[in-house]
Amino acid sequence: MSQNPNVEQAPQYADDEIDLRELFVTLWRGKWIIILFTIVFAAAGVFYALSKPNIYQSSVLLAPVQSEGGAGISGQLGGLASLAGISLGGGGSNQTVIAKEVLQSRAFLTDFIHRHNFIIPLMAIEAWDIENEKWLINREVYNPETGEWLTDDEGESLEPTDWDMVKQFKESHLSLSTNEDIGMVTLNIKSQAPPVAKEWAENLVHDINEHMRQQDVQEAEARIAYLEGKLNETNIAGMQQVFYQLIESETRTVMLANAQSEYIFKTVDPAVVPQEKSGPKRALIAVIATMLGGMLGVFVVFIMAFVRNGATQTESATHGSSVEEQ
């Protein structure tokens, strides 16, 4: 009884050996197909990699600005402000989170693109002329002489909408990352033009600081006007003292906001003109294309062998049936 398992296992090892041999033979027979696919895909990968323009990235390292005295004021006057029906707002950390979201918001980016007139460099360029340091305009999209956007084959204007511009800017140019441990924020801008990458990064940092400053100043001034109105409506000395303190707090907010050149984000490492490209990874593209070509070639060889074996078995079965009938 104990010898039966050994007897049964021997054919299995033989079958496995035969399968591996057949596998190798199949690949060897189709070696030229595999080589052909590999060469074609490698050439296509190299051509695609070389056709992609160089992309440069400029980065700015930012640190959240700690509001001076903000926490103390909120703690001392928060209850009094609640009695008056207003809120003194959140702390510096909340402002930083809001500023990061605003920086990536559609409304802010739309205003940013229009304010700095980045529509043409964003949506109608063909390449960057390194020697002359200027954009080469895609004349199939935009006519720089007349300042008009052209039309497509269906007669529709190629002038981009705000949606198109923001989508292009966020997908191809802007990226934002945060170090959660230390709170540092890194703003990255990619562009075909190294000077433009630096310029856009600097403008974004400046504009988000100004946007948040103006918003806080307007809110503080609105609260001051509200408190002054309430102050004129009451004759109670205790309540008047409360309103004076709240007005003083909001006035201090306005003064501090106007006194700080960097209101929300302080630049730790400023943007510079990049001298090395960040992409595309041409060698990686070529390697991946070559590997895909080789794998596809192997797949095609196996499919052909499978079809060939199926046809052979069908012919053998048909021939066997004919012999039995005879």
Side-chain angles (χ1 to χ4, degrees), residues 58-93:
S58 184
S59 301
V60 187
L61 181 62
L62 305 170
V65 174
Q66 302 296 328
S67 57
E68 301 178 3
I73 293 173
S74 297
Q76 296 171 11
L77 302 179
L80 300 178
S82 298
L83 292 175
I86 64 172
S87 173
L88 291 179
S93 59

Side-chain angles (χ1 to χ4, degrees), residues 61-134:
L61 181 62
L62 305 170
V65 174
Q66 302 296 328
S67 57
E68 301 178 3
I73 293 173
S74 297
Q76 296 171 11
L77 302 179
L80 300 178
S82 298
L83 292 175
I86 64 172
S87 173
L88 291 179
S93 59
N94 291 334
Q95 285 290 83
T96 302
V97 173
I98 294 173
K100 289 190 295 183
E101 295 302 320
V102 170
L103 182 59
Q104 303 174 82
S105 66
R106 186 169 301 279
F108 175 81
L109 291 178
T110 299
D111 181 65
F112 173 78
I113 293 170
H114 284 284
R115 181 168 58 254
H116 295 284
N117 195 23
F118 289 157
I119 302 176
I120 305 302
L122 187 63
M123 304 299 297
I125 56 96
E126 191 172 63
W128 173 256
D129 187 349
I130 299 179
E131 295 182 358
N132 299 317
E133 293 191 348
K134 66 177 184 178

Side-chain angles (χ1 to χ4, degrees), residues 158-172:
L158 296 175
E159 182 175 3
T161 62
D162 292 342
W163 179 282
D164 297 329
M165 291 185 291
V166 172
K167 181 180 179 181
Q168 174 70 10
F169 189 79
K170 293 178 69 174
E171 291 182 353
S172 303

Side-chain angles (χ1 to χ4, degrees), residues 44-273:
V46 170
F47 178 79
Y48 174 78
L50 294 176
S51 66
K52 301 293 290 183
N54 288 339
I55 301 297
Y56 299 87
Q57 176 175 288
S58 184
S59 301
V60 187
L61 181 62
L62 305 170
V65 174
Q66 302 296 328
S67 57
E68 301 178 3
I73 293 173
S74 297
Q76 296 171 11
L77 302 179
L80 300 178
S82 298
L83 292 175
I86 64 172
S87 173
L88 291 179
S93 59
N94 291 334
Q95 285 290 83
T96 302
V97 173
I98 294 173
K100 289 190 295 183
E101 295 302 320
V102 170
L103 182 59
Q104 303 174 82
S105 66
R106 186 169 301 279
F108 175 81
L109 291 178
T110 299
D111 181 65
F112 173 78
I113 293 170
H114 284 284
R115 181 168 58 254
H116 295 284
N117 195 23
F118 289 157
I119 302 176
I120 305 302
L122 187 63
M123 304 299 297
I125 56 96
E126 191 172 63
W128 173 256
D129 187 349
I130 299 179
E131 295 182 358
N132 299 317
E133 293 191 348
K134 66 177 184 178
W135 288 113
L136 299 179
I137 305 299
N138 186 352
R139 294 181 176 272
E140 296 181 358
V141 176
Y142 180 79
N143 188 338
E145 282 76 20
T146 61
E148 296 179 350
W149 293 87
L150 304 182
T151 58
D152 58 14
D153 297 336
E154 298 178 355
E156 297 183 1
S157 175
L158 296 175
E159 182 175 3
T161 62
D162 292 342
W163 179 282
D164 297 329
M165 291 185 291
V166 172
K167 181 180 179 181
Q168 174 70 10
F169 189 79
K170 293 178 69 174
E171 291 182 353
S172 303
H173 299 278
L174 173 65
S175 64
L176 204 65
S177 60
T178 305
N179 188 324
E180 300 296 343
D181 295 332
I182 59 178
M184 291 291 187
V185 178
T186 302
L187 185 148
N188 303 310
I189 291 294
K190 294 182 178 180
S191 176
Q192 296 183 35
V196 172
K198 173 180 179 292
E199 178 187 357
W200 289 9
E202 291 177 339
N203 288 338
L204 270 175
V205 175
H206 175 270
D207 285 12
I208 189 59
N209 277 325
E210 286 301 314
H211 176 85
M212 298 302 294
R213 183 209 313 276
Q214 293 176 9
Q215 180 175 299
D216 286 355
V217 168
Q218 291 175 0
E219 292 177 355
E221 290 177 345
R223 288 194 290 264
I224 291 173
Y226 173 81
L227 290 169
E228 289 176 345
K230 289 295 183 180
L231 178 62
N232 295 329
E233 293 177 2
T234 182
N235 295 323
I236 302 174
M239 289 301 299
Q240 288 179 341
Q241 184 64 26
V242 171
F243 288 131
Y244 280 127
Q245 291 178 346
L246 292 174
I247 291 173
E248 179 184 356
S249 171
E250 296 299 331
T251 302
R252 183 182 302 181
T253 299
V254 175
M255 293 176 61
L256 290 175
N258 291 325
Q260 292 177 284
S261 58
E262 294 182 305
Y263 182 62
I264 294 295
F265 294 116
K266 179 178 179 61
T267 301
V268 177
D269 189 10
V272 296
V273 177

